[in-house]
Amino acid sequence: MVVSFTADRRSGRHLGLKKAMGAGALLLLAPSFAAAQGLGVVPPSGNAEMYEARIDKEGERNRVLNEMEVGARSFWQGDIDRSRVMLDDAILRIESVYNNNAAAQKARSLWYSESVKPFKGEPYERVMVYYYRGLLYLRAGDYENARAAFRQGQMQDAFAEEEQFQCDFAIMLFLEAWASHLNHDYALRDETLERLAKLRSGFPGIGKDDDTLIIAETGSAPRKLGDGAAHAYFVYKRGKGFTESSAVLMGAGGEAPFYPMEDVYWQANTRGARQIDKILNGKVEFVNTSNAVGSTLLKGADIALTVSSVAQSNTILHDSSVGRIAGDVGVGMGAVGGVIALIAANAKPTADTRTWSSLPDGIHILTLNSKKAAGAKLVAQFRNPDGTPAGVEKELALEPSGKNGKMALVRSR
């Protein structure tokens, strides 16, 4: 699956992201479909229209869930106006509960059974709303709103159940840095890259002349399954029906591995890098092992990717020097207050297994200088864990990402 867009000038806004937008029109995106190139293909479990029809039928209980589904599926179908509207409304409703202000803290509770609460998403799902919304801004060349969306997504990673945890969603840090890079805010870029390095030490950085970002999504969404007596708690399982776990860009006389920036399943199944055993009555029970348990996707990164050596030999990879950087990985937010005893007394046991089904399993990135790839046929080849081809290849077309960059998006399924 590849997505293609063309730019369209319209007025627009993002809720609470950029205070001063100015009076001028904001560049947003309109769809460009090209069936002959395989564009506009949606995930196999249904198209955006199917989920949009459920919004009125299922009401407020599933409104945000259905808006997530429509937003992501419209994104991959190329219907960017609909994607933007759905994601913006989902963000409004999410931030009414999950935000760092008194009103949201008051609304955040577990007084009702999990199965009847209006859906707002698990932390990783809420983050992914900002991920897709930020990508829309990035494609439009609105780098400041893109950066703000990626930052707010990181805040959502910290809100979980009745507690707050350290943010470790690496893809959002990387995209924040990339937005700053394209906006020529190099000091902000380097500060963010310093924080990212503490999560992804093998990432070679953003080359000083890089202007092109390619994102490859692999696999299918994490699964949330009820378990125990009367399904009183739920557990996470990795998505199924796929074998691919990595991607390689072929073209310009060589191969360049994508860096495995995010394991979405790992994000679903952890809180602050601690692995979840189960979630019961809205309370997390962690696996009784070391916090060093690693992501399946990321454990193989140092073995499968010799990025630094490839960067020296491959003609389309960037210069990975990023300069001196400074920062701190922590997200400066205090603990959320709560009456935990009352919450425990009032929460009912039925586990909420609703989940965003169109998300990927992994997110992989590659940056390069577009001049080095000029005229080349670029193909993303998806590969199995052992490095063999998974039987899926997608040709890429680099398109503008505002006036300072280019971008391509590809999905294995």
Side-chain angles (χ1 to χ4, degrees), residues 44-65:
S45 57
N47 59 25
E49 292 77 13
M50 182 179 80
Y51 287 90
E52 189 169 28
R54 295 180 180 180
I55 293 176
D56 289 337
K57 180 179 180 181
E58 298 180 358
E60 287 302 310
R61 181 176 180 271
N62 288 333
R63 184 181 184 91
V64 170
L65 174 60

Side-chain angles (χ1 to χ4, degrees), residues 3-5 56 71 92 124 128 177 221 291 329 337 378 399 413:
V3 66
S4 175
F5 307 119
D56 289 337
L92 255 185
Y124 76 99
M128 292 299 288
N291 288 355
V329 72
L378 301 179
E399 298 182 349
R413 59 186 60 245

Side-chain angles (χ1 to χ4, degrees), residues 5-28:
F5 307 119
T6 57
D8 180 38
R9 185 173 296 274
R10 301 173 186 267
S11 61
R13 61 184 174 86
H14 190 279
L15 305 164
L17 290 185
K18 186 177 173 187
K19 299 284 187 182
M21 296 290 292
L26 179 69
L27 262 185
L28 292 179

Side-chain angles (χ1 to χ4, degrees), residues 312-393:
Q312 295 173 8
S313 61
N314 194 281
T315 58
I316 65 173
L317 280 179
H318 55 67
D319 171 4
S320 63
S321 63
V322 296
R324 188 171 183 176
I325 46 184
D328 190 354
V329 72
V331 175
M333 294 186 291
V336 176
V339 283
I340 297 176
L342 289 177
I343 288 173
N346 285 275
K348 296 188 176 73
T350 304
D352 184 354
T353 57
R354 292 171 291 178
T355 188
W356 187 356
S357 66
S358 52
L359 292 178
D361 176 73
I363 304 172
H364 314 252
I365 64 96
L366 179 65
T367 66
L368 52 92
N369 185 296
S370 59
K371 293 180 181 179
K372 296 180 180 179
K377 178 182 178 181
L378 301 179
V379 176
Q381 182 186 82
F382 295 94
R383 295 185 175 179
N384 297 314
D386 63 1
T388 59
V392 182
E393 294 185 359

Side-chain angles (χ1 to χ4, degrees), residues 27-232:
L27 262 185
L28 292 179
L29 302 171
S32 173
F33 298 97
Q37 299 180 28
L39 307 181
V41 181
V42 297
S45 57
N47 59 25
E49 292 77 13
M50 182 179 80
Y51 287 90
E52 189 169 28
R54 295 180 180 180
I55 293 176
D56 289 337
K57 180 179 180 181
E58 298 180 358
E60 287 302 310
R61 181 176 180 271
N62 288 333
R63 184 181 184 91
V64 170
L65 174 60
N66 286 320
E67 287 178 339
M68 289 174 172
E69 296 282 11
V70 176
R73 292 164 190 274
S74 296
F75 178 94
W76 286 105
Q77 285 179 253
D79 189 347
I80 302 312
D81 282 340
R82 177 165 57 182
S83 179
R84 171 177 52 82
V85 169
M86 292 295 166
L87 295 174
D88 277 347
D89 194 65
I91 286 172
L92 255 185
R93 295 167 190 277
I94 287 169
E95 291 184 351
S96 70
V97 174
Y98 292 98
N99 208 335
N100 207 26
N101 59 46
Q105 289 180 15
K106 184 177 180 179
R108 192 162 52 246
S109 68
L110 290 172
W111 287 104
Y112 302 104
S113 166
E114 289 189 57
S115 62
V116 299
K117 285 191 308 181
F119 183 91
K120 295 296 187 292
E122 299 298 326
Y124 76 99
E125 292 169 315
R126 300 194 303 270
V127 172
M128 292 299 288
V129 175
Y130 292 87
Y131 163 80
Y132 285 117
R133 189 61 182 95
L135 288 180
L136 294 184
Y137 280 126
L138 202 58
R139 296 289 306 216
D142 188 352
Y143 307 131
E144 292 186 32
N145 261 341
R147 180 170 58 203
F150 298 135
R151 283 177 175 172
Q152 287 194 250
Q154 294 168 54
M155 184 177 71
Q156 291 300 323
D157 185 37
F159 284 112
E161 289 76 40
E162 74 277 10
E163 302 182 60
Q164 284 188 323
F165 296 87
Q166 185 179 25
C167 171
D168 63 350
F169 225 107
I171 187 62
M172 303 300 277
L173 279 169
F174 164 76
L175 289 170
E176 178 189 339
W178 182 255
S180 293
H181 176 74
L182 292 186
N183 206 43
H184 300 161
D185 296 326
Y186 300 126
L188 290 176
R189 174 200 65 188
D190 292 348
E191 289 173 5
T192 308
L193 286 174
E194 173 69 11
R195 293 161 59 201
L196 177 61
K198 296 179 181 181
L199 298 176
R200 300 290 185 266
S201 59
F203 178 57
I206 297 171
K208 63 180 180 180
D209 295 323
D210 287 357
D211 62 356
T212 298
L213 169 64
I214 305 176
I215 297 178
E217 295 185 0
T218 56
S220 56
R223 295 174 293 145
K224 188 196 295 185
L225 305 176
D227 207 344
H231 285 188

